[in-house]
Amino acid sequence: MNKFSTLMAGAALTLGLSLGAQAATLKMAYDADPVSLDPHEQLSGGTLQLSHMVFDPLVRWNKELGFDPRLAESWERIDDKTVRFKLRRGVKFHSGNELTAEDVRWTYDRLVTSPDFKGIFAAFEGVKVVDDYTFDLVTKEPYPLVLHSATYIFPMDSKFYTGTDEKGEPKDRLVKHGDSYASSHLSGTGPYVVKSREQGVKVEFERFDGYWDTTSPGNVDEIVLTPIKEAPTRVAALLSGDVDFIAPVPPTDHKRIESSSNVDLVTMPGTRVITFQMNQERRPEFKDVRVRQAIVHAINNEGIVKKIMRGFATPAAQQGPEGYAGYKAELKPRYDLAKAKQLMKEAGYEDGFSITMMAPNNRYVNDDKIAQAAASMLAKINIKVDLKTMPKAQYWPEFDARAADMMMIGWHADTEDSANFSEFLTLCPNAESGAGQYNSGNYCNPKVDELVKAAGSETDPAKRAAMLQEVEQILYDDAAFVPLHWQNLAWAANKKVKVEPILNVMNFPYLGDLVIEE
Amino acid sequence: MIAFVVRRLFQAVIVMFVISLLSFSIQDNLGDPLRELVGQSVSEEERQALRDELGLNDPFLTQYLRFVGNALEGDLGTSYFFKEPALDVILNKLPATLELVFGATLIIILLSVPLGVYSAINPRSWFSKTVMGMSIVGISIPVFLTAIMAIYLFSVELNWLPSYGRGETVPVFGSWETGFLTKDGLLHLLLPCASLASIMLPLFIRLIRSEMMEVLESEYVKYAWAKGLSPLRIWFLHALKNTMLPVITVGGVQIGTMVAYTILTETVFQWPGMGFLFLEAVNRVDTPLIVAYLIVVGAIFVITNTLVDLIYGLVNPTVKLAGKKS
């Protein structure tokens, strides 16, 4: 049987190849390699990029921020709290086991034990298996983001991960630090299998010959992923032809890459917003909405984007980017120095005051330069800024301690949804519920809390979008924080590597579908 | 001799003890390792639970004593990132760094001795002046810049040499994989070694030149000339031998600097050695790895300095080793 299926898969592959282009090898360089082969160990871009190579999600995001069926073939909402999914039939794991609904349940149950991922599934009750190819995702309350969350469910091979390893530890053990079976062995349904891996040096992938998606145009049968930490070296490796595909590409090198005749640069507006928060508990001045408005009006974020980011960012006036439910197109950046001065005068701070500011210097693109620019812009409305920048490793403890009056924070919504920004950045801080965990400004408006909460159980997309847009409007009027910009994304590849179709704003290149032309 | 080595060993243990204490006490200022272990949206409670599990909430002394206890059994802790014993991770990366340092040393020796001697013998020739001029430039350009410029010239523009990594390696013994035995490996070694050598090379050329000029003025050399010995014999046998004494001393001290510069060189060339590993460990707040690295580097310092002292004795038998009964 097994032999037969391999034969069939082989035949299908040959057929695919004869229709498509020749099989090819892709050499690519990211700034880092995956931390672990365990998809539940850490919620990070690197882990998800790997997951899309060796596993498949139930559904995945497409370029239009909609959902494409992957392992789930179809789905329908059967009641307020339940969405029923039909699983694709005949899907094989790398081990040869067949995917069933039981694997989905098993994966879900493991996923919610992960400290990193459990937050995304807080609203869920669990997975209910109906039959081998049907299961229900059940939520505690009516929940609008079932499909959003389903993009995080990459079914694992439950039989493969059951039992104990040679050390006598259970194979499915989830360890954040230290060795585990799952961190170095894997069996998924994805287009690639890991051939060899030397952490920090390279990972070699081979196309899975039993891959279910025979309609995929992808013709890459081997991938060598090398982490190259230094951006200039990464760019040089691409330009010299040592690698075919790199990400990220620093803004300073865009011109050089665009002017090169055999590489392509692909950029997209990203979804990570960069902001400053104004701590109202540390500074009574910040309690005055006029002062906060003055600060927002004094910081020329379009100028920062133009000069410091070299155009490689989208100026922001709200939390969520375009395409998200709560995005309100009317909200525009509001740099106006005269108005800022006027507001300071009205608030009675014409002569200004002194504040402290902190920002990381290796977390976001040009973070320290942005902070320096903001500090000098604030000097123009007589706010003297004592700025301290530091490496991210030292910054986060300071951020947790709310150690400065203004602090920089960037945020990307794991759910690709507007409400997530508010949940972490602008809800009233509440240590018990975890709301506003990153709200170092201590901004608190019950109306915002109420709307975000209501949006959390509103399953009508239009009504929900209206609520979230109202949230953005309130935050804008309240000058709850200083919006700077959304960081753009950039990738560069050799011209024969057709990366554009497989890239998306989530920064999960769908390498299974990558075509390399000869 | 044996007394000397024993005494040095004893010193080494003290040095490493001090290093471990120092690196252990600064680790709280390096940042929060938990931030690198978990995603941004993980709650503070979850992070505290993990901290407890890792024993990071214990008092300093408890943590340190636990570390020393394990260290005495040869366990320097487990790297958070690699999930393997920190010492194993470092020893795995050690060959790459040693080969880099070895290649750079080779370049330095092969170039600095002939160039230094030549410019000492012919101080006024245009070639000597060019060498001296170049060495000023070389000593002033940071290794980071040298490396990037070399990559752009030789990899991107000319396409002669690879831009990053070690290339093809072959196993020699144990886990030691060498790049010296394959063509691809040698090509990959060229740029990183040359960049690393670029900092030390000018220093050694100048040092050898000035020492050599001094020696050439000395009485015994004049006597040798009077005796009618061949110039080659005078320069390379009699004069050079005495020139090398201070060079060896400086060389021993500079090995340490070289190890420090491997951090930069390895980072630029994505060289999978322990210097790059260290920088990454600092970025990730992988404290067990940082502490283990500092101890290993401390050991390398002590060993090389001991070796230098021993070689010193061989080159100049009149030098007394400390600890040797006179």
Side-chain angles (χ1 to χ4, degrees):
Chain A
M1 181 61 210
N2 212 345
K3 214 168 192 177
F4 176 68
S5 63
T6 323
L7 207 72
M8 286 304 287
L13 196 74
T14 334
L15 199 71
L17 287 182
S18 61
L19 293 172
Q22 280 298 297
T25 298
L26 174 74
K27 283 183 283 179
M28 62 182 205
Y30 284 157
D31 55 345
D33 59 337
V35 174
S36 164
L37 294 186
D38 187 340
H40 298 164
E41 189 172 319
Q42 192 178 69
L43 175 48
S44 66
T47 299
L48 291 166
Q49 284 160 0
L50 174 76
S51 294
H52 279 285
M53 293 173 76
V54 292
F55 294 95
D56 274 300
L58 293 176
V59 296
R60 78 180 181 193
W61 293 100
N62 57 29
K63 274 181 181 294
E64 290 75 40
L65 285 176
F67 301 100
D68 283 342
R70 295 305 286 171
L71 295 183
E73 230 168 14
S74 64
W75 53 88
E76 57 172 338
R77 187 172 277 283
I78 54 172
D79 64 48
D80 264 7
K81 300 178 187 173
T82 314
V83 178
R84 177 158 292 176
F85 289 82
K86 285 273 175 208
L87 207 57
R88 198 173 290 278
R89 283 161 194 263
V91 174
K92 287 269 191 290
F93 284 109
H94 298 161
S95 65
N97 295 333
E98 199 176 331
L99 168 77
T100 65
E102 186 51 33
D103 294 304
V104 179
R105 190 199 55 78
W106 187 92
T107 304
Y108 174 86
D109 288 349
R110 185 172 190 265
L111 191 52
V112 292
T113 63
S114 160
D116 281 42
F117 286 91
K118 64 164 53 151
I120 294 172
F121 294 93
F124 283 76
E125 188 77 43
V127 170
K128 228 170 72 196
V129 175
V130 178
D131 62 46
D132 268 4
Y133 299 101
T134 316
F135 63 92
D136 293 338
L137 274 181
V138 188
T139 54
K140 292 170 188 154
E141 297 294 324
Y143 188 55
L145 304 179
V146 172
L147 288 178
H148 296 66
S149 312
T151 62
Y152 282 96
I153 302 178
F154 293 84
M156 295 166 79
D157 187 344
S158 60
K159 290 195 190 81
F160 177 83
Y161 291 101
T162 301
T164 51
D165 61 13
E166 62 264 33
K167 285 181 217 145
E169 298 283 359
K171 287 183 176 174
D172 62 344
R173 208 163 68 108
L174 182 61
V175 191
K176 292 229 54 126
H177 48 87
D179 205 10
S180 71
Y181 182 81
S183 71
S184 50
H185 299 77
L186 77 81
S187 171
T189 58
Y192 295 100
V193 290
V194 176
K195 201 168 92 184
S196 73
R197 173 166 176 259
E198 196 183 337
Q199 192 156 30
V201 181
K202 71 174 169 187
V203 194
E204 287 179 310
F205 298 92
E206 218 172 32
R207 188 121 186 147
F208 172 40
D209 57 9
Y211 188 46
W212 61 270
D213 190 359
T214 46
T215 58
S216 162
N219 71 338
V220 178
D221 61 355
E222 211 181 45
I223 295 180
V224 182
L225 164 63
T226 318
I228 301 184
K229 179 88 188 158
E230 283 303 310
T233 313
R234 198 157 60 240
V235 173
L238 176 73
L239 293 178
S240 66
D242 288 342
V243 298
D244 313 312
F245 174 44
I246 61 166
V249 185
T252 39
D253 285 314
H254 288 186
K255 271 214 182 98
R256 198 198 328 267
I257 286 176
E258 274 173 335
S259 67
S260 165
S261 58
N262 47 17
V263 293
D264 278 328
L265 178 73
V266 183
T267 61
M268 264 177 220
T271 54
R272 184 186 298 280
V273 71
I274 307 295
T275 70
F276 276 115
Q277 293 175 337
M278 297 161 278
N279 194 327
Q280 302 183 23
E281 226 156 70
R282 288 174 63 100
R283 303 299 302 213
E285 297 94 329
F286 290 164
K287 280 199 164 67
D288 189 330
V289 63
R290 288 169 299 189
V291 174
R292 299 200 302 267
Q293 282 289 5
I295 289 175
V296 173
H297 281 85
I299 293 177
N300 180 2
N301 60 348
E302 285 175 304
I304 289 175
V305 165
K306 212 164 137 192
K307 289 276 155 53
I308 297 174
M309 302 297 288
R310 301 189 188 214
F312 186 57
T314 313
Q318 53 192 315
Q319 304 179 112
E322 198 173 347
Y324 278 30
Y327 181 76
K328 199 165 178 186
E330 298 87 65
L331 303 181
K332 298 276 183 227
R334 45 203 141 148
Y335 168 61
D336 183 342
L337 190 57
K339 190 167 175 202
K341 282 181 177 158
Q342 180 61 31
L343 283 162
M344 285 292 274
K345 196 171 169 183
E346 281 169 25
Y349 294 109
E350 202 178 353
D351 298 331
F353 46 86
S354 297
I355 60 165
T356 55
M357 180 191 272
M358 279 186 192
N361 60 18
N362 61 355
R363 177 62 188 89
Y364 311 113
V365 180
N366 293 329
D367 38 15
D368 52 339
K369 295 191 192 84
I370 294 166
Q372 282 156 16
S376 64
M377 286 167 182
L378 288 179
K380 291 189 182 146
I381 55 168
N382 294 325
I383 296 180
K384 277 185 222 57
V385 177
D386 175 13
L387 170 66
K388 208 169 150 192
T389 62
M390 61 200 86
K392 60 180 180 191
Q394 279 127 59
Y395 182 69
W396 294 121
E398 298 283 5
F399 189 90
D400 284 345
R402 312 286 188 250
D405 303 337
M406 274 180 86
M407 304 197 90
M408 184 187 275
I409 176 89
W411 198 259
H412 162 82
D414 288 333
T415 48
E416 310 294 342
D417 176 72
S418 293
N420 182 276
F421 289 99
S422 285
E423 283 159 11
F424 284 94
L425 302 177
T426 44
L427 289 193
C428 302
N430 182 333
E432 241 162 73
S433 69
Q437 191 187 340
Y438 287 86
N439 180 358
S440 82
N442 291 301
Y443 168 80
C444 182
N445 184 338
K447 179 80 184 144
V448 170
D449 281 37
E450 198 182 295
L451 281 165
V452 172
K453 187 161 181 284
S457 54
E458 177 55 69
T459 48
D460 179 342
K463 278 192 207 156
R464 187 167 179 273
M467 292 174 182
L468 292 170
Q469 284 173 17
E470 196 184 338
V471 169
E472 294 282 18
Q473 183 69 52
I474 295 172
L475 297 175
Y476 185 88
D477 294 338
D478 275 353
F481 62 97
V482 184
L484 293 168
H485 53 253
W486 294 288
Q487 285 182 359
N488 286 2
L489 297 167
W491 305 263
N494 194 302
K495 276 212 173 7
K496 65 181 203 283
V497 181
K498 301 296 167 198
V499 286
E500 214 280 327
I502 64 150
L503 298 174
N504 49 56
V505 291
M506 273 69 60
N507 197 4
F508 307 148
Y510 297 144
L511 291 161
D513 297 338
L514 178 66
V515 174
I516 297 184
E517 283 175 1
E518 282 310 309
Chain B
M1 175 78 183
I2 290 168
F4 170 75
V5 172
V6 168
R7 180 179 279 218
R8 268 305 168 92
L9 242 121
F10 181 66
Q11 285 174 354
V13 171
I14 293 180
V15 165
M16 275 173 255
F17 175 74
V18 171
I19 289 176
S20 75
L21 191 63
L22 280 178
S23 48
F24 223 79
S25 52
I26 58 162
Q27 68 175 359
D28 280 345
N29 300 320
L30 290 173
D32 182 1
L34 263 300
R35 280 288 176 177
E36 302 300 311
L37 285 174
V38 300
Q40 198 167 22
S41 49
V42 170
S43 71
E44 178 56 29
E45 256 168 68
E46 295 277 356
R47 276 188 262 139
Q48 277 304 346
L50 263 170
R51 243 177 239 131
D52 276 335
E53 208 180 298
L54 285 169
L56 293 175
N57 284 335
D58 296 339
F60 175 77
L61 207 62
T62 318
Q63 287 192 49
Y64 184 66
L65 288 179
R66 186 168 52 214
F67 170 78
V68 172
N70 290 335
L72 289 178
E73 287 168 15
D75 173 14
L76 292 181
T78 301
S79 158
Y80 296 145
F81 179 71
F82 289 92
K83 308 168 201 326
E84 280 171 39
L87 195 60
D88 290 2
V89 175
I90 291 172
L91 293 183
N92 267 331
K93 307 277 178 188
L94 188 64
T97 299
L98 288 185
E99 289 196 354
L100 182 63
V101 171
F102 177 71
T105 313
L106 214 63
I107 293 178
I108 292 174
I109 294 175
L110 289 181
L111 288 180
S112 68
V113 173
L115 288 176
V117 171
Y118 179 85
S119 43
I121 298 169
N122 311 299
R124 294 190 193 289
S125 87
W126 63 267
F127 183 70
S128 305
K129 283 179 182 157
T130 318
V131 169
M132 287 303 113
M134 293 288 281
S135 71
I136 286 278
V137 177
I139 218 163
S140 330
I141 301 180
V143 63
F144 199 82
L145 199 62
T146 318
I148 290 285
M149 290 196 308
I151 291 177
Y152 270 94
L153 183 60
F154 293 103
S155 308
V156 178
E157 295 302 327
L158 299 171
N159 224 333
W160 288 350
L161 295 168
S163 52
Y164 75 93
R166 280 187 85 188
E168 200 187 327
T169 52
V170 284
V172 199
F173 56 88
S175 64
W176 187 299
E177 299 224 345
T178 183
F180 275 102
L181 296 177
T182 63
K183 186 175 166 239
D184 189 47
L186 281 172
L187 288 177
H188 278 83
L189 270 161
L190 222 55
L191 282 186
C193 288
S195 304
L196 185 57
S198 72
I199 333 144
M200 301 290 169
L201 187 58
L203 180 77
F204 278 94
I205 294 177
R206 298 189 145 253
L207 187 69
I208 292 174
R209 174 179 172 270
S210 61
E211 287 298 327
M212 185 83 173
M213 282 172 93
E214 206 172 294
V215 171
L216 287 179
E217 293 298 314
S218 65
E219 294 296 327
Y220 82 93
V221 171
K222 283 182 189 156
Y223 177 68
W225 282 119
K227 247 171 79 175
L229 295 180
S230 79
L232 283 181
R233 202 177 155 78
I234 295 173
W235 290 330
F236 289 100
L237 196 76
H238 296 291
L240 188 61
K241 205 171 168 187
N242 278 317
T243 304
M244 289 322 274
L245 273 178
V247 175
I248 290 170
T249 320
V250 174
V253 177
Q254 293 296 333
I255 292 268
T257 321
M258 193 96 122
V259 171
Y261 276 109
T262 57
I263 296 177
L264 287 175
T265 317
E266 288 181 3
T267 307
V268 178
F269 288 100
Q270 191 71 28
W271 193 260
M274 54 183 227
F276 179 59
L277 182 79
F278 176 68
L279 202 71
E280 288 282 88
V282 171
N283 280 335
R284 292 196 196 99
V285 207
D286 195 341
T287 31
L289 200 54
I290 296 173
V291 175
Y293 173 86
L294 292 175
I295 290 176
V296 169
V297 169
I300 292 177
F301 265 65
V302 175
I303 291 169
T304 49
N305 279 318
T306 309
L307 284 178
V308 165
D309 283 350
L310 289 175
I311 293 173
Y312 212 79
L314 291 180
V315 176
N316 185 353
T318 59
V319 172
K320 294 273 186 293
L321 290 177
K324 199 176 181 180
K325 294 249 162 57
S326 50

